[in-house]
C-alpha cells in the first residue's frame, strides 16, 4: 500500500494543485508557515496551527468539531510527524481526503498506514488502511530550516527503518526493493554530505518498512525513549547491536552512518532485567525479527549498548 498520488523532488510542493477550501494543519508558527504557504502558492484555505507535538485524541476531536459543516475539501498535514498524524486520524473519522507534506523527513510517515495518537496521556501506535494519504508531497525545499539534531535523528531513523524492514520476516521482494534502494540513497546522503537526498530516501524507506515492519532495533529502542532519548538517537546504538545480533548485511554500513552522524553512547537508568521485561511483550517487533529473540538475548544486547559503545 502507498498513497494514491506521490509528488516528489524539487518544486513538488510548489507545482502541486491544491484543492480550494483545504484545511491546513500544522504545529509550526506563522513566521515559518507563511513562508511555506507562499512557496506552495496555495489559495483559499483555512489553517489550524494549534496542533502540538505528541497530539492527543482531544485535539483531533476539537478540529473535527470546529470545522464541521464548513465544506472542507481536504486536510493538508504540513510539518513533522505530529501534523501528519492529526490529519491521518481526522481523515479516518470524516472520510475527507488528506494530503501529507513532511518538513522534517525521517519517519516516512507520509507513506504509511501508521499514526501515533495519545489517549489519556499515553502514546499509542495505531495502524489502519484509512490512515493512508490520498496524496503525499516530498520536497527538499523544507529541509534547510531543520535543526541539525532533528535532521540527524531523522536520518538515522530512516536508515534504521530501511535496514530493519529489509530483514523483517514480513518482507517480500517488493518491500525489499524499496528498503534496499532507500538505504543506498540514505547512506549516500549521509556519508557523502548530500542532505538534499534525505527526503527521497526517507520516502522510499516509508514505503518499504511500512509494508513490512521494523524489528529488534526498534524493540530495544523504546526503553531508552521512555527515559527521554529521542527516537532516532536511541536507534543509533540499538539498531547497530540488533544488526550485529541478526548478522544483517547492513551491520557495518549502518554503523558507519551512525559514526558519521557522531552519535554519543546511550545510558539507561532502569535495571537491565526490568528493561528486558518491558521489551519482551513487544511482539509486533520481535515476532518479525529474522532470528528468534529470548529475554537473555535482550539483556545481552542492552549490556552491549550501554557498556561497550557499539559505535566505537
Ligand atoms: Zn522509527
Amino acid at each position: 500500500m502507498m498513497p494514491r498520488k506521490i509528488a516528489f523532488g524539487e518544486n513538488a510542493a510548489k507545482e502541486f494543485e491544491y484543492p480550494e477550501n483545504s484545511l491546513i494543519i500544522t504545529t509550526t508558527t506563522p513566521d515559518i508557515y507563511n513562508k511555506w504557504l507562499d512557496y506552495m502558492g496555495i489559495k483559499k484555505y483555512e489553517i489550524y496551527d494549534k496542533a502540538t507535538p505528541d497530539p492527543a485524541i482531544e485535539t483531533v476531536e476539537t478540529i473535527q468539531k470546529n470545522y464541521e459543516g464548513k465544506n472542507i475539501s481536504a486536510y493538508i498535514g504540513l510539518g513533522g510527524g505530529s501534523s501528519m498524524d492529526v490529519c491521518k486520524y481526522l481523515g479516518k473519522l470524516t472520510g475527507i481526503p488528506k494530503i501529507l507534506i513532511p518538513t522534517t523527513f525521517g519517519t516516512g510517515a507520509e507513506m504509511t498506514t501508521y499514526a501515533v495518537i495519545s489517549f489519556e496521556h499515553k502514546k499509542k501506535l495505531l495502524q489502519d488502511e484509512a490512515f493512508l494519504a490520498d496524496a503525499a508531497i516530498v520536497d527538499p525545499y523544507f529541509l534547510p530550516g531543520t535543526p541539525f539534531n532533528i535532521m540527524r535523528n531523522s536520518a538515522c531513523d530512516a536508515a534504521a527503518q530501511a535496514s530493519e524492514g529489509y530483514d523483517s520476516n514480513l518482507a517480500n521482494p517488493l518491500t525489499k526493493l524499496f528498503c534496499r534502494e532507500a538505504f543506498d540513497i540514505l547512506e549516500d546522503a549521509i556519508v557523502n554530505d548530500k542532505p538534499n537526498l534525505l527526503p527521497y530516501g526517507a520516502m522510499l524507506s516509508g514505503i518499504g518498512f511500512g509494508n513490512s515492519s521494523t524489528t529488534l532495533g526498534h524493540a530495544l529502542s523504546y526503553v531508552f525513549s521512555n527515559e527521554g532519548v529521542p527516537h532516532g538517537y536511541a536507534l543509533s546504538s540499538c539498531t547497530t547491536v540488533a544488526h550485529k545480533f541478526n548478522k544483517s548485511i547492513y551491520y557495518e554500513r549502518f554503523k558507519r552512518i551512525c559514526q558519521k552522524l557522531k552519535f554519543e553512547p546511550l545510558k539507561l537508568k532502569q535495571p537491565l532485567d526490568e528493561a528486558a521485561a518491558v521489551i519482551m511483550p513487544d511482539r509486533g517487533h520481535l515476532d518479525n525479527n529474522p532470528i528468534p529473540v529470548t529475554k537473555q538475548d535482550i539483556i545481552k544486547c542492552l549490556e552491549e549498548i550501554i557498556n561497550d559503545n557499539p559505535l566505537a
Side-chain angles (χ1 to χ4, degrees):
M1 278 183 278
M2 65 179 92
R4 210 149 43 89
K5 193 168 191 174
I6 300 171
F8 69 93
E10 268 166 42
N11 296 321
K14 189 180 191 156
E15 286 161 8
F16 196 88
E17 295 204 10
Y18 300 93
E20 281 190 0
N21 209 30
S22 295
L23 171 60
I24 298 163
I25 295 160
T26 186
T27 52
T28 50
T29 46
D31 54 318
I32 295 173
Y33 68 67
N34 279 328
K35 225 177 64 199
W36 291 349
L37 298 178
D38 274 350
Y39 169 74
M40 289 158 63
I42 185 167
K43 306 225 160 61
K44 284 197 172 173
Y45 57 86
E46 305 261 352
I47 190 152
Y48 183 87
D49 61 4
K50 289 171 197 70
T52 49
D54 302 326
I57 184 67
E58 287 79 12
T59 303
V60 176
E61 288 165 350
T62 303
I63 299 173
Q64 186 187 7
K65 231 172 55 211
N66 286 359
Y67 293 91
E68 219 154 48
K70 288 195 176 167
N71 278 325
I72 297 299
S73 58
Y75 301 120
I76 300 180
L78 179 65
S82 305
S83 311
M84 294 192 278
D85 286 340
V86 169
C87 257
K88 286 175 164 186
Y89 207 98
L90 265 173
K92 176 187 148 98
L93 291 181
T94 63
I96 293 173
K98 45 206 167 318
I99 300 168
L100 303 182
I101 311 176
T103 59
T104 58
F105 317 101
T107 63
E110 71 280 6
M111 294 292 143
T112 71
T113 54
Y114 296 105
V116 180
I117 298 286
S118 293
F119 294 81
E120 287 164 0
H121 306 290
K122 273 211 176 109
K123 275 206 241 181
K124 260 188 137 171
L125 176 66
L126 309 165
Q127 186 173 29
D128 197 312
E129 236 176 274
F131 292 153
L132 204 61
D134 294 84
I137 305 172
V138 177
D139 186 333
Y141 164 81
F142 302 101
L143 197 64
T146 312
F148 172 73
N149 242 329
I150 291 185
M151 196 278 292
R152 173 172 87 151
N153 292 340
S154 296
C156 184
D157 188 19
Q161 287 171 172
S163 49
E164 289 183 37
Y166 184 89
D167 292 332
S168 159
N169 283 339
L170 294 181
N172 63 46
L174 185 61
T175 62
K176 280 180 182 246
L177 177 89
F178 281 104
C179 286
R180 192 165 52 225
E181 182 71 4
F183 193 90
D184 288 351
I185 290 169
L186 292 163
E187 183 182 47
D188 186 27
I190 297 162
V191 175
N192 302 316
D193 298 310
K194 301 179 192 166
N196 258 24
L197 293 178
L198 286 174
Y200 180 57
M203 173 189 130
L204 295 182
S205 164
I207 301 173
F209 99 89
N211 287 286
S212 51
S213 76
T214 51
T215 55
L216 177 60
H218 269 68
L220 292 170
S221 76
Y222 294 114
V223 290
F224 296 94
S225 308
N226 291 344
E227 295 188 0
V229 180
H231 180 60
Y233 174 22
L235 290 169
S236 58
S237 287
C238 290
T239 299
T240 299
V241 166
H243 279 344
K244 192 173 167 198
F245 175 84
N246 288 330
K247 300 187 173 60
S248 168
I249 58 165
Y250 288 111
Y251 167 59
E252 292 288 348
R253 292 170 69 189
F254 184 80
K255 183 171 152 179
R256 193 162 4 111
I257 285 177
C258 296
Q259 287 170 335
K260 169 81 187 187
L261 294 172
K262 296 194 163 47
F263 282 108
E264 300 285 318
L266 293 174
K267 291 186 190 72
L268 193 65
K269 293 186 198 103
Q270 194 176 28
L272 297 192
D273 192 62
E274 253 176 51
V278 172
I279 294 167
M280 276 309 277
D282 183 3
R283 303 321 305 173
H285 288 106
L286 294 179
D287 288 344
N288 296 326
N289 195 62
I291 295 177
V293 189
T294 65
K295 191 175 173 192
Q296 217 41 48
D297 293 331
I298 289 184
I299 292 176
K300 267 177 78 181
C301 286
L302 291 172
E303 258 171 5
E304 201 174 337
I305 291 166
I306 58 174
N307 295 329
D308 297 350
N309 186 12
L311 303 180

